[in-house]
Structures are given as C-alpha cells and as structure tokens.
Amino acid sequence: MAELTTLASPLDVGGVKIRNRVFLAPMSGITDEPFRQRAYGHGAGLVVSEMVASGELAKGRAGCDLRIRHSGLPVHMVQLAGREAVHMAEGARIAAGESADIIDINMGCPAKKVTGGYAGSALMRDLDHALSLIEAVVGAVSVPVTVKMRLGWDESALNAPMLARRAEQAGVSMVTVHGRTRCQFYQGKADWRAIARVKQAVSIPVVANGDVGSPEEAATILEQSGADAVMIGRAHYGAPWIAGSIASIAGGVSAPGIPHAPQALADYVVSHYEDMLSLYGAESGLRQARKHLGWYLDRHASDVSAEQRKAILTSFKPGEVVAELCRVFADGAQPTSLRSAA
C-alpha cells in the first residue's frame, strides 16, 4: 500500500496547515462537537462541523450556535448550506466570527429536504448560481473557502470537473468529491476513478470521498483518483476512531485512545453519551444520542438481547442507560477490528 504513506503527510489548505490527509466528513446530526473532538483525538487530520443552514444561521435560529461554536481544536472548519447568496455570505461572516479557520460550502448533500430547497447537490444543476454563492462566501471572509460536491446531479450531467475548475477560479482553496451522483444517493459503489477527472481539472487539493473505511480502501481510492487526501463519513458510525486509525497506519504509529478492552469500551461509550447530554441538555441529548448508542451496539455488541437494546434506546433516565451500557460493553463486548469495521 505505497499510496497510503502519503496520507500521513501534512496538507496546506489556503495557508491553513492540516496535520495529515485523512479527514472526517461533515455529517448532519452526527459530527457535533463531542464526535469531532473524539475523531480528532484519535488522529483524524481534519474534522468538519455538521452542515449548518446559512439562512437559519443568519436569522439566529436556535441550535445553530452549537453547530458553529469553536470546539477547542487546532483547526475549526464549518460547513454551510444554502441557496441565497446574501445568507451564505452572512453565515460565513458569522462562522468566521466564531473563529472558523475554514468555511466549507455544501454542494453535495443528496437529501430531499435539502435539494428540495435547491441547496446541496441541487446546486450542481445550475453552475452559474452555484458560482454566485461561492463568490459571495469568498468575498465575505478572509479565511480559506472549500467546496464539497458530488460527481453531478445524475449520469447525464457529470459536471464536477467544471464546477471544481470554476470554483478554483473564484478563489476556492480545496474541493472534496463524493464519487456518486445525487440521484445515486448512497446506492451502488462510489466511482473513485471518476474523481480523477476533477483532479486533472484543477491545481488546488482534491479530497476523495465515498465508501472508504479501511487502509486498503484508502490506498485504492488514492491510486484510482489521484486525490491529495481522503474523507471518510459513514464508516465512523459507532467508531469515531476510523480516520485516525488509517492516518496512524499510514504513518506507522499507533492510533491514540482506541478502546480495545471491554471496560475501556464501556467507559468510552458512556463518556460519549454523557458529553452529548452535557452539550444538548438531558431532554434533547437523550434523543440525539440514541443513534450513536445504536451504532455502538451494532458494531461492538451485536449479540445484545432485544430487551437490553430496547432499554438502552428508549429509556428517558440517563442513569438507567449508563448502567445498561456498562453491563453490555464491560461484560465482554469487543470493538471490531479496523478491517471488519469498514
């Protein structure tokens, strides 16, 4: 895996130094502050906030402040989504005011609630309008601006190379490409070779994304795409250490903080749960933590009884949830290996 070793080297993004080239993807409802802190602590080179709707941020809607606030990490990267240039510019200024080091523009989200509002990957259907948003954000802030996109809207319009080239001309410092079209959502296999056409179209760094969860897959996506870095998303469900593990393997070192022993895993999951309750408050935190607890159970305690699983995922009493988590994970559950977690 000769290609893999390149992932251990630093990367410059518009003057911002990134420690390695294995990134945690922004995921709505997932990559909040507790998750990002864990991923970075395990060695991920760069972590990105959840997508923030620029219109809601500009209007001061509740909850947006938690998504953009600085988490204390060396590089604070905020992703914005939207359709209106004035809102995107104002959202970027607000994020920069919260000490964002990099602003990312979402032009890749395939969710209907996003594309239905003509944001996310719907912007790839109108590159002139997409460029007006990029220009508005670049003009509003002095920090580097990046763009995350897909290959195109569908197979008849694979225009990612054109969007990337125009984005670079507008002042964007890096582009990330998910190797699927919007109409594919997450079906089939990401086309890593198609990302190479974007790499050939620009001189700024290109990040390859889609279906990576192991060192072997990271090496292959680099080889096939020619990309400068890799971004990993869904493979982190129940395993915030995946990006850091791959970066550590690339560098020939041990990834920090992975909970290998049963008691360590129990402590890890409980700590994540309690941090979410602290961030959101008990009522909201209970609900938002359940998907993470479900993923931890799926990966590391798949033989948990239906009764225990229900108790963990439906209880409104944090003390009961913590007690059940300790019973499930400390009684012998083991974290999956990096290879089997992919």
Side-chain angles (χ1 to χ4, degrees):
M1 295 188 293
E3 294 281 348
L4 190 68
T5 59
T6 64
L7 292 177
S9 62
L11 181 68
D12 185 286
V13 179
V16 176
K17 298 299 188 294
I18 310 302
R19 64 180 180 178
N20 67 56
R21 301 174 183 232
V22 190
F23 304 161
L24 170 70
M27 292 180 282
S28 185
I30 300 169
T31 55
D32 57 12
E33 184 175 305
F35 199 94
R36 296 196 309 274
Q37 288 176 329
R38 280 164 175 76
Y40 193 85
H42 294 304
L46 183 65
V47 298
V48 191
S49 78
E50 303 173 73
M51 176 182 68
V52 183
S54 60
E56 294 185 2
L57 179 59
K59 295 173 184 176
R61 294 285 174 82
C64 290
D65 57 330
L66 291 181
R67 293 193 171 204
I68 68 165
R69 79 175 189 179
H70 203 295
S71 57
L73 300 177
V75 178
H76 181 40
M77 185 170 180
V78 173
Q79 187 187 69
L80 298 177
R83 173 73 179 179
E84 302 296 331
V86 64
H87 289 156
M88 290 293 288
E90 180 61 17
R93 282 189 286 266
I94 294 171
E98 291 292 323
S99 300
D101 299 292
I102 303 173
I103 305 292
D104 186 59
I105 302 175
N106 185 316
M107 295 190 175
C109 181
K112 291 182 179 179
K113 66 179 181 180
V114 176
T115 60
Y118 302 102
S121 56
L123 292 167
M124 300 194 74
R125 305 181 77 178
D126 185 348
L127 296 194
D128 288 341
H129 185 69
L131 261 293
S132 73
L133 303 186
I134 291 172
E135 290 167 349
V137 173
V138 170
V141 296
S142 59
V143 301
V145 175
T146 63
V147 176
K148 191 171 189 292
M149 64 185 73
R150 288 198 163 215
L151 297 177
W153 178 260
D154 57 28
E155 291 293 332
S156 69
L158 301 177
N159 56 2
M162 183 179 298
L163 175 57
R165 184 165 54 247
R166 294 182 67 180
E168 179 181 22
Q169 293 168 351
V172 161
S173 298
M174 182 176 74
V175 296
T176 299
V177 185
H178 183 107
R180 288 183 175 86
T181 66
R182 183 273 174 182
C183 290
Q184 285 180 277
F185 285 87
Y186 294 98
Q187 297 176 348
K189 183 74 172 65
D191 187 350
W192 296 340
R193 294 186 186 279
I195 300 173
R197 293 193 286 273
V198 178
K199 176 60 181 172
Q200 294 160 5
V202 298
S203 59
I204 55 176
V206 172
V207 184
N209 174 228
D211 295 344
V212 176
S214 70
E216 294 81 5
E217 288 164 341
T220 302
I221 198 173
L222 287 180
E223 178 186 5
Q224 294 185 1
S225 69
D228 302 280
V230 61
M231 181 174 279
I232 303 171
R234 293 170 294 154
H236 285 97
Y237 290 0
W241 50 82
I242 292 294
S245 295
I246 293 174
S248 296
I249 290 171
V253 298
S254 298
I258 297 178
H260 294 290
Q263 185 60 55
L265 179 59
D267 293 343
Y268 186 96
V269 176
V270 168
S271 174
H272 191 174
Y273 178 65
E274 291 178 339
D275 282 353
M276 292 191 72
L277 298 186
S278 177
L279 178 67
Y280 297 109
E283 184 176 350
S284 178
L286 278 166
R287 296 193 304 272
Q288 298 202 49
R290 284 170 177 162
K291 56 181 170 288
H292 293 280
L293 299 183
W295 291 327
Y296 283 125
L297 291 172
D298 291 342
R299 278 190 184 267
H300 313 300
S302 57
D303 59 348
V304 64
S305 70
E307 183 179 356
Q308 281 180 304
R309 185 182 182 91
K310 182 178 179 181
I312 289 170
L313 300 183
T314 63
S315 175
F316 286 94
K317 298 180 179 180
E320 291 182 356
V321 174
V322 168
E324 286 295 331
L325 289 172
C326 290
R327 277 191 284 270
V328 167
F329 290 111
D331 284 348
Q334 293 282 351
T336 55
S337 68
L338 184 59
R339 183 182 300 273
S340 63

